[in-house]
Amino acid sequence: MYTLTNVTKTYTQSKRTVTALNDVTLEIPDGQLVAIQGPTGGGKSTLLQMLGALDRPTSGSVVLEKASLSGLGDGKLTAIRANEIGFVFQGFNLIPTLTAQENVETALAPLKVGAEDRKRRAAEALASVGLADRGSHLPSELSGGQQQRVAIARALVKDPDVLLADEPTGNLDEETRDEIMDLLEGLWRDRGLTLIIVTHDSAVARRAQRRLHIKHGQVKDVA
């Protein structure tokens, strides 16, 4: 699925160079459930941006399947994000003036899916996360766990190969956290997704097939 070879990412901040990723070489097989942990500022978000085709490395290569993300133009990267990668964030990122159904439909807009097909697929995605009866509700009318389920449905509605989740349980209480992880694990098994979760929560990380730790821009497997 992913092959990263000698990936380095540097930024310039206040006239000094910051190395967010430092010569990272890593393979993530198709269908693996991976948790990424590490201290704040250790490079977790930068690594996720590389995997999500949101940024390019300063040096080295990032390959998704056979596509070299580090060498593609903006248009092709946008197409890969639209078709192949789903994103789930800590802050849900729902549009407050749209219903749950409409929020999920937004993920299909770049794919030029017809209106009726958008509605059908969004309804099916909401049903798959247990919200078949909440499609007409605004985000403000939903609990935090329900909002995260809507965000997961939005990520899944385009049937991606990869689901990238950045602290997906960070804003949730312990009980709701476990419910969301149960949901993500079930979707991962049923759909054959590659699921990559960035988390500070060791209880979440322990549920993964594989745990990676990133510190000072370097990635190691956790035994």
Side-chain angles (χ1 to χ4, degrees):
M1 175 60 66
Y2 280 105
T3 302
L4 283 70
T5 306
N6 302 124
V7 172
T8 294
K9 181 65 179 182
T10 59
Y11 300 95
T12 300
Q13 295 180 348
S14 302
K15 297 183 180 180
R16 69 187 184 96
T17 299
V18 176
T19 301
L21 295 176
N22 185 9
D23 197 30
V24 173
T25 294
L26 173 68
E27 289 193 5
I28 299 176
D30 187 19
Q32 193 166 66
L33 171 49
V34 182
I36 302 173
Q37 290 184 281
T40 300
K44 299 188 301 299
S45 294
T46 302
L47 178 58
L48 205 67
Q49 288 173 343
M50 298 296 159
L51 298 175
L54 293 166
D55 200 358
R56 297 181 179 87
T58 304
S59 61
S61 66
V62 180
V63 177
L64 171 59
E65 296 292 358
K66 296 181 179 180
S68 177
L69 304 183
S70 41
L72 294 179
D74 291 342
K76 290 185 177 180
L77 289 178
T78 298
I80 287 174
R81 290 194 299 271
N83 288 278
E84 300 180 32
I85 304 173
F87 297 90
V88 179
F89 302 98
Q90 178 177 349
F92 314 145
N93 291 356
L94 301 179
I95 301 171
T97 57
L98 299 183
T99 65
Q101 169 88 19
E102 291 165 341
N103 266 283
V104 175
E105 287 184 32
T106 62
L108 296 174
L111 305 183
K112 298 181 180 179
V113 176
E116 290 303 314
D117 198 20
R118 284 202 308 272
K119 290 179 181 179
R120 177 187 59 79
R121 290 174 61 174
E124 290 174 352
L126 285 170
S128 75
V129 300
L131 293 180
D133 60 344
R134 293 291 188 271
S136 62
H137 288 61
L138 294 171
S140 60
E141 299 171 321
L142 302 173
S143 68
Q146 289 171 332
Q147 289 185 60
Q148 190 60 291
R149 286 172 182 266
V150 174
I152 293 168
R154 181 183 57 193
L156 293 175
V157 71
K158 57 189 177 182
D159 196 24
D161 298 319
V162 181
L163 185 61
L164 303 179
D166 190 1
E167 297 285 358
T169 62
N171 285 341
L172 306 175
D173 60 59
E174 186 173 308
E175 181 179 355
T176 309
R177 173 202 69 190
D178 292 342
E179 290 175 358
I180 292 299
M181 283 305 302
D182 288 344
L183 172 65
L184 286 172
E185 281 190 42
L187 292 166
W188 163 67
R189 285 193 301 268
D190 294 344
R191 292 173 176 248
L193 292 164
T194 300
L195 174 57
I196 301 172
I197 301 173
V198 165
T199 182
H200 280 98
D201 190 335
S202 293
V204 171
R206 283 194 295 268
R207 299 179 66 156
Q209 282 183 313
R210 180 185 184 188
R211 295 170 65 180
L212 299 174
H213 189 268
I214 183 167
K215 185 177 181 181
H216 302 315
Q218 296 184 318
V219 178
K220 294 182 180 180
D221 275 279
V222 177

